[in-house]
Amino acid sequence: MKRNNFMKVFVNILTSARVLGALIIIPIYFKWGGIVASITSGLLFITDFLDGLLARSFHVQSLFGSIIDAVSDKLLGISILIVLALINYLYILPILLELGILIVNTVSFKMGNNTKTSFKGKIKTNILDIVLVISLFVIANSFDNMILNIILIPLIISELIVIVDYFIKARKNTSLHKKEHLNVLRKKTNKELWHDLFDTDFYLKYRNDSITKLFYIVK
């Protein structure tokens, strides 16, 4: 049990490293340049693979970890895109698309839907990570700006696919939840809510269900 608790804390710290990375990546770029920023970004993106692998291997997944994972990915990605947008204005477009995805998921969450990352969303995140690392490297080596424009194409396509996918998913889930008529018995106490945020069994059982089950005891 102690070992599992340690691993759960370690995995969440590893995930949170990307939040810290989002705060320092811009200063790193302006102080040490694109190569260092590219290497730092690559290392931070590797943590996205490691935290999920460790969480599954040691059976320490949690809703809290899932939320922090999504938030950290979004913050880090947008921070690096801001740097790139200062060099090439076309990078404003993926920033807007990332914000669009965030808005769709936020509205969906407020409507009680589960906003768990889809398979398409994971593919998009992988494409984003690769494009950002390569873009920083290209800028650092003063390559033709046209290269930046070309490597943006798969990213923009994947973001458009994901934003449409999440929008359709949100509408479908909202319709399903209206028909489901969850019998809400009472709101959870802070202690119960805190437990369920970090409890692996709760996450595995309800990770695909309505978010209502996180905040309320349902029949």
Side-chain angles (χ1 to χ4, degrees):
M1 181 63 71
K2 288 184 178 180
R3 183 186 180 189
N4 278 358
N5 288 337
F6 170 79
M7 285 306 303
K8 186 171 289 187
V9 171
F10 177 75
V11 167
N12 286 330
I13 290 175
L14 194 61
T15 303
S16 300
R18 296 198 296 284
V19 177
L20 176 61
L23 299 176
I24 66 174
I25 196 65
I26 296 177
I28 284 176
Y29 173 80
F30 285 107
K31 186 172 180 61
W32 289 294
I35 290 293
V36 175
S38 179
I39 294 172
T40 303
S41 299
L43 292 174
L44 288 168
F45 290 141
I46 288 174
T47 66
D48 191 22
F49 167 76
L50 287 178
D51 60 12
L53 178 64
L54 290 173
R56 291 187 296 272
S57 298
F58 290 92
H59 193 65
V60 292
Q61 305 101 308
S62 68
L63 183 58
F64 175 82
S66 176
I67 294 171
I68 292 297
D69 183 67
V71 171
S72 63
D73 287 345
K74 193 68 66 181
L75 287 176
L76 181 58
I78 290 177
S79 293
I80 299 174
L81 284 170
I82 289 173
V83 172
L84 295 169
L86 296 174
I87 311 299
N88 186 321
Y89 293 145
L90 284 179
Y91 280 78
I92 294 175
L93 182 54
I95 292 176
L96 295 176
L97 289 173
E98 286 295 315
L99 291 175
I101 293 171
L102 179 62
I103 290 171
V104 169
N105 280 338
T106 300
V107 172
S108 181
F109 181 86
K110 287 183 177 180
M111 295 177 74
N113 296 327
N114 187 310
T115 54
K116 180 178 171 239
T117 304
S118 67
F119 177 74
K120 292 178 183 177
K122 291 178 181 178
I123 295 297
K124 186 274 299 179
T125 298
N126 291 334
I127 293 173
L128 174 64
D129 295 350
I130 294 170
V131 168
L132 295 182
V133 171
I134 294 176
S135 296
L136 288 170
F137 182 80
V138 168
I139 289 173
N141 289 277
S142 302
F143 291 138
D144 192 331
N145 210 38
M146 183 59 68
I147 298 176
L148 294 177
N149 299 340
I150 293 173
I151 61 179
L152 260 184
I153 295 174
L155 173 59
I156 291 174
I157 291 173
S158 66
E159 287 177 322
L160 288 171
I161 291 173
V162 167
I163 198 169
V164 171
D165 181 55
Y166 282 171
F167 180 76
I168 294 173
K169 178 183 173 184
R171 290 190 62 182
K172 180 180 178 181
N173 287 343
T174 300
S175 177
L176 287 174
H177 295 155
K178 285 181 179 179
K179 295 177 181 178
E180 193 175 10
H181 293 304
L182 292 176
N183 188 1
V184 176
L185 299 179
R186 64 174 175 82
K187 189 174 182 179
K188 290 181 180 178
T189 64
N190 289 336
K191 184 177 180 180
E192 289 172 328
L193 181 59
W194 188 258
H195 171 272
D196 290 343
L197 272 173
F198 292 92
D199 184 65
T200 297
D201 291 335
F202 176 85
Y203 172 73
L204 293 177
K205 184 176 181 180
Y206 296 113
R207 60 184 171 180
N208 296 316
D209 288 2
S210 168
I211 201 67
T212 303
K213 292 181 181 178
L214 171 63
F215 298 102
Y216 297 92
I217 299 293
V218 298
K219 193 171 182 179

